[in-house]
Coordinates of all heavy atoms in Angstrom, one line a residue:
P1 N 0.8 -1.2 0.0 CA 0.0 0.0 0.0 C 0.8 1.3 0.0 O 0.4 2.3 -0.6 CB -0.8 -0.1 1.3 CG -0.9 -1.6 1.5 CD 0.4 -2.2 1.1
D2 N 2.0 1.3 0.7 CA 2.8 2.5 0.8 C 3.3 2.9 -0.6 O 3.5 4.1 -0.8 CB 4.0 2.3 1.7 CG 3.5 2.2 3.2 OD1 2.4 2.6 3.5 OD2 4.3 1.8 4.0
V3 N 3.4 2.0 -1.5 CA 3.9 2.2 -2.9 C 2.7 2.4 -3.8 O 2.7 3.3 -4.7 CB 4.8 1.1 -3.4 CG1 5.1 1.3 -4.8 CG2 6.0 0.9 -2.5
F4 N 1.7 1.6 -3.6 CA 0.6 1.6 -4.6 C -0.4 2.7 -4.4 O -1.0 3.3 -5.3 CB -0.2 0.3 -4.6 CG -0.9 0.0 -5.8 CD1 -0.3 -0.4 -7.0 CD2 -2.3 0.0 -5.8 CE1 -1.0 -0.7 -8.1 CE2 -3.0 -0.3 -7.0 CZ -2.4 -0.7 -8.1
E5 N -0.7 3.1 -3.1 CA -1.7 4.2 -2.9 C -1.3 5.5 -3.5 O -2.1 6.2 -4.0 CB -2.0 4.3 -1.4 CG -2.8 3.1 -0.9 CD -3.2 3.2 0.6 OE1 -3.0 4.3 1.2 OE2 -3.8 2.2 1.1
P6 N 0.0 5.9 -3.4 CA 0.4 7.2 -4.1 C 0.1 7.1 -5.6 O -0.3 8.1 -6.2 CB 1.9 7.3 -3.8 CG 2.1 6.6 -2.5 CD 1.1 5.4 -2.6
F7 N 0.3 5.9 -6.2 CA 0.0 5.7 -7.6 C -1.5 5.9 -7.8 O -2.0 6.6 -8.8 CB 0.4 4.3 -8.1 CG -0.4 3.9 -9.4 CD1 -0.1 4.5 -10.6 CD2 -1.4 2.9 -9.3 CE1 -0.9 4.1 -11.7 CE2 -2.1 2.6 -10.4 CZ -1.9 3.1 -11.6
L8 N -2.3 5.3 -7.0 CA -3.8 5.4 -7.1 C -4.2 6.8 -7.1 O -5.0 7.3 -7.9 CB -4.4 4.6 -5.9 CG -6.0 4.7 -5.8 CD1 -6.7 4.1 -7.0 CD2 -6.4 4.0 -4.5
R9 N -3.7 7.6 -6.1 CA -4.1 9.0 -6.0 C -3.6 9.8 -7.2 O -4.4 10.7 -7.7 CB -3.5 9.6 -4.7 CG -4.1 10.9 -4.3 CD -3.9 11.2 -2.9 NE -4.3 12.6 -2.5 CZ -4.7 13.0 -1.3 NH1 -4.7 12.1 -0.3 NH2 -5.0 14.2 -1.1
D10 N -2.4 9.5 -7.7 CA -1.9 10.2 -8.9 C -2.7 9.9 -10.1 O -3.0 10.8 -10.9 CB -0.5 9.9 -9.1 CG 0.2 10.8 -10.1 OD1 0.6 11.9 -9.7 OD2 0.4 10.4 -11.2
Y11 N -3.1 8.6 -10.2 CA -4.0 8.2 -11.3 C -5.3 8.9 -11.3 O -5.8 9.4 -12.4 CB -4.2 6.7 -11.2 CG -5.3 6.1 -12.0 CD1 -5.3 6.0 -13.4 CD2 -6.4 5.6 -11.3 CE1 -6.4 5.5 -14.0 CE2 -7.5 5.0 -11.9 CZ -7.5 5.0 -13.3 OH -8.5 4.4 -14.0
L12 N -5.9 9.0 -10.2 CA -7.2 9.7 -10.1 C -7.1 11.2 -10.4 O -8.0 11.8 -11.0 CB -7.8 9.5 -8.7 CG -8.2 8.1 -8.3 CD1 -8.5 8.0 -6.8 CD2 -9.3 7.6 -9.2
E13 N -6.0 11.8 -10.0 CA -5.8 13.2 -10.2 C -5.5 13.5 -11.7 O -6.0 14.4 -12.3 CB -4.6 13.7 -9.4 CG -4.2 15.2 -9.7 CD -5.3 16.2 -9.3 OE1 -6.1 15.9 -8.4 OE2 -5.4 17.3 -9.9
T14 N -4.7 12.6 -12.3 CA -4.4 12.7 -13.7 C -5.6 12.5 -14.7 O -5.7 13.3 -15.7 CB -3.3 11.7 -14.1 OG1 -2.1 11.9 -13.3 CG2 -2.9 11.8 -15.6
Y15 N -6.4 11.6 -14.4 CA -7.6 11.3 -15.3 C -8.9 11.8 -14.8 O -9.9 11.4 -15.4 CB -7.6 9.8 -15.5 CG -6.5 9.3 -16.4 CD1 -5.3 8.8 -15.9 CD2 -6.7 9.4 -17.8 CE1 -4.3 8.3 -16.8 CE2 -5.7 8.9 -18.7 CZ -4.5 8.4 -18.1 OH -3.5 8.0 -19.0
K16 N -8.9 12.7 -13.8 CA -10.2 13.2 -13.3 C -10.9 14.0 -14.5 O -10.3 14.6 -15.3 CB -10.0 14.1 -12.1 CG -9.3 15.4 -12.4 CD -9.1 16.2 -11.1 CE -8.4 17.5 -11.3 NZ -8.2 18.2 -10.0
Y17 N -12.2 13.8 -14.5 CA -13.1 14.4 -15.5 C -13.0 13.7 -16.9 O -13.6 14.1 -17.9 CB -12.9 15.9 -15.7 CG -12.9 16.7 -14.5 CD1 -11.8 17.5 -14.2 CD2 -13.9 16.6 -13.5 CE1 -11.7 18.2 -13.0 CE2 -13.8 17.3 -12.4 CZ -12.7 18.1 -12.1 OH -12.7 18.9 -10.9
K18 N -12.2 12.6 -16.9 CA -11.9 11.9 -18.2 C -12.5 10.5 -18.2 O -12.8 9.9 -17.1 CB -10.4 11.9 -18.5 CG -9.8 13.3 -18.6 CD -8.3 13.1 -18.8 CE -7.7 14.5 -18.9 NZ -6.2 14.5 -18.9
S19 N -12.6 9.9 -19.4 CA -12.9 8.4 -19.5 C -11.7 7.8 -20.2 O -11.1 8.4 -21.1 CB -14.2 8.3 -20.4 OG -15.2 8.9 -19.8
L20 N -11.4 6.5 -19.8 CA -10.3 5.8 -20.4 C -10.6 4.4 -20.5 O -11.5 3.8 -19.9 CB -9.0 6.1 -19.6 CG -8.8 5.3 -18.3 CD1 -7.3 5.4 -17.9 CD2 -9.7 5.9 -17.2
N21 N -9.7 3.7 -21.3 CA -9.8 2.2 -21.4 C -8.7 1.5 -20.7 O -7.8 2.2 -20.2 CB -9.9 1.8 -22.9 CG -8.7 2.2 -23.7 OD1 -7.6 2.1 -23.2 ND2 -8.9 2.6 -24.9
T22 N -8.7 0.2 -20.7 CA -7.7 -0.6 -20.0 C -6.3 -0.4 -20.5 O -5.4 -0.3 -19.7 CB -8.1 -2.1 -20.0 OG1 -9.4 -2.2 -19.5 CG2 -7.1 -2.9 -19.3
L23 N -6.1 -0.3 -21.8 CA -4.8 -0.1 -22.3 C -4.2 1.3 -21.9 O -3.0 1.4 -21.6 CB -4.8 -0.2 -23.8 CG -5.0 -1.7 -24.3 CD1 -5.0 -1.7 -25.9 CD2 -4.0 -2.7 -23.8
Q24 N -5.0 2.3 -21.8 CA -4.6 3.6 -21.4 C -4.2 3.5 -19.9 O -3.2 4.1 -19.5 CB -5.7 4.6 -21.6 CG -5.9 5.0 -23.0 CD -7.2 5.9 -23.1 OE1 -8.3 5.5 -22.8 NE2 -6.9 7.1 -23.6
W25 N -5.0 2.8 -19.1 CA -4.6 2.6 -17.7 C -3.3 1.9 -17.6 O -2.4 2.2 -16.8 CB -5.7 1.9 -17.0 CG -5.3 1.4 -15.6 CD1 -5.1 2.1 -14.5 CD2 -4.8 0.0 -15.3 NE1 -4.6 1.2 -13.5 CE2 -4.5 0.0 -14.0 CE3 -4.7 -1.1 -16.1 CZ2 -4.0 -1.2 -13.4 CZ3 -4.3 -2.3 -15.5 CH2 -3.9 -2.3 -14.2
K26 N -3.1 0.8 -18.3 CA -1.9 0.0 -18.2 C -0.7 0.8 -18.6 O 0.3 0.8 -18.0 CB -2.0 -1.2 -19.2 CG -0.8 -2.1 -19.2 CD -1.0 -3.2 -20.2 CE 0.4 -4.0 -20.4 NZ 0.3 -4.9 -21.5
D27 N -0.8 1.6 -19.7 CA 0.3 2.5 -20.1 C 0.7 3.4 -19.0 O 1.9 3.7 -18.8 CB -0.1 3.3 -21.4 CG -0.1 2.4 -22.6 OD1 0.4 1.3 -22.6 OD2 -0.7 2.8 -23.6
Y28 N -0.3 4.0 -18.3 CA -0.1 4.9 -17.2 C 0.6 4.2 -16.1 O 1.5 4.8 -15.4 CB -1.3 5.6 -16.8 CG -1.0 6.8 -15.8 CD1 -0.5 8.0 -16.3 CD2 -1.2 6.7 -14.5 CE1 -0.2 9.0 -15.5 CE2 -1.0 7.7 -13.6 CZ -0.4 8.9 -14.1 OH -0.1 9.9 -13.3
L29 N 0.2 3.0 -15.8 CA 0.9 2.2 -14.7 C 2.3 2.0 -15.0 O 3.2 2.2 -14.2 CB 0.2 0.9 -14.6 CG 0.7 -0.1 -13.5 CD1 0.3 0.4 -12.1 CD2 0.2 -1.5 -13.7
F30 N 2.7 1.7 -16.3 CA 4.1 1.5 -16.7 C 4.8 2.8 -16.6 O 6.0 2.9 -16.2 CB 4.1 0.9 -18.1 CG 4.1 -0.6 -18.2 CD1 2.9 -1.2 -17.8 CD2 5.1 -1.3 -18.6 CE1 2.8 -2.6 -17.9 CE2 5.1 -2.7 -18.6 CZ 3.9 -3.4 -18.3
E31 N 4.2 3.9 -17.0 CA 4.8 5.2 -17.0 C 5.1 5.6 -15.5 O 6.1 6.3 -15.3 CB 3.9 6.2 -17.6 CG 4.4 7.6 -17.7 CD 3.4 8.6 -18.3 OE1 2.7 8.2 -19.2 OE2 3.3 9.7 -17.8
Y32 N 4.2 5.3 -14.6 CA 4.4 5.8 -13.2 C 5.5 5.0 -12.5 O 6.1 5.5 -11.6 CB 3.0 5.6 -12.5 CG 3.1 6.1 -11.0 CD1 2.8 7.5 -10.8 CD2 3.4 5.3 -10.0 CE1 2.8 8.0 -9.5 CE2 3.5 5.8 -8.7 CZ 3.2 7.1 -8.4 OH 3.2 7.6 -7.2
F33 N 5.7 3.7 -12.9 CA 6.7 2.9 -12.2 C 7.8 2.5 -13.1 O 8.0 1.3 -13.4 CB 6.0 1.6 -11.7 CG 5.1 1.8 -10.5 CD1 3.7 1.6 -10.7 CD2 5.6 2.0 -9.3 CE1 2.8 1.8 -9.6 CE2 4.7 2.2 -8.2 CZ 3.3 2.1 -8.4
P34 N 8.6 3.5 -13.6 CA 9.7 3.2 -14.5 C 10.8 2.3 -13.8 O 11.5 1.6 -14.6 CB 10.3 4.6 -14.8 CG 9.9 5.5 -13.7 CD 8.5 5.0 -13.2
D35 N 10.9 2.4 -12.5 CA 11.9 1.5 -11.8 C 11.4 0.1 -11.6 O 12.1 -0.7 -11.0 CB 12.3 2.2 -10.5 CG 11.1 2.4 -9.6 OD1 9.9 2.6 -10.1 OD2 11.2 2.4 -8.3
K36 N 10.1 -0.2 -11.9 CA 9.6 -1.5 -11.7 C 9.2 -2.2 -13.0 O 8.3 -3.1 -13.0 CB 8.4 -1.4 -10.7 CG 8.9 -0.9 -9.3 CD 7.7 -0.9 -8.3 CE 8.1 -0.3 -7.0 NZ 9.1 -1.1 -6.3
L37 N 9.7 -1.8 -14.1 CA 9.3 -2.3 -15.4 C 9.5 -3.8 -15.5 O 8.7 -4.5 -16.1 CB 10.0 -1.6 -16.5 CG 9.7 -0.1 -16.7 CD1 10.4 0.5 -17.9 CD2 8.2 0.1 -16.9
E38 N 10.6 -4.3 -14.9 CA 10.9 -5.8 -15.0 C 9.8 -6.6 -14.3 O 9.4 -7.6 -14.8 CB 12.2 -6.1 -14.4 CG 13.4 -5.6 -15.3 CD 13.3 -6.0 -16.7 OE1 13.1 -7.2 -17.0 OE2 13.4 -5.2 -17.6
L39 N 9.3 -6.1 -13.1 CA 8.3 -6.7 -12.4 C 7.0 -6.7 -13.3 O 6.3 -7.7 -13.4 CB 8.0 -6.0 -11.1 CG 8.9 -6.4 -9.9 CD1 8.6 -5.5 -8.7 CD2 8.8 -7.9 -9.5

């Protein structure tokens, strides 16, 4: 949670008032965690 909850909050702030699909969400997840790409 200490790692994932900041991502969750950033995701909600970035996409507020918008609609998106799963691939857009996945791309944002990879973009947010550049140091965890191998995982």
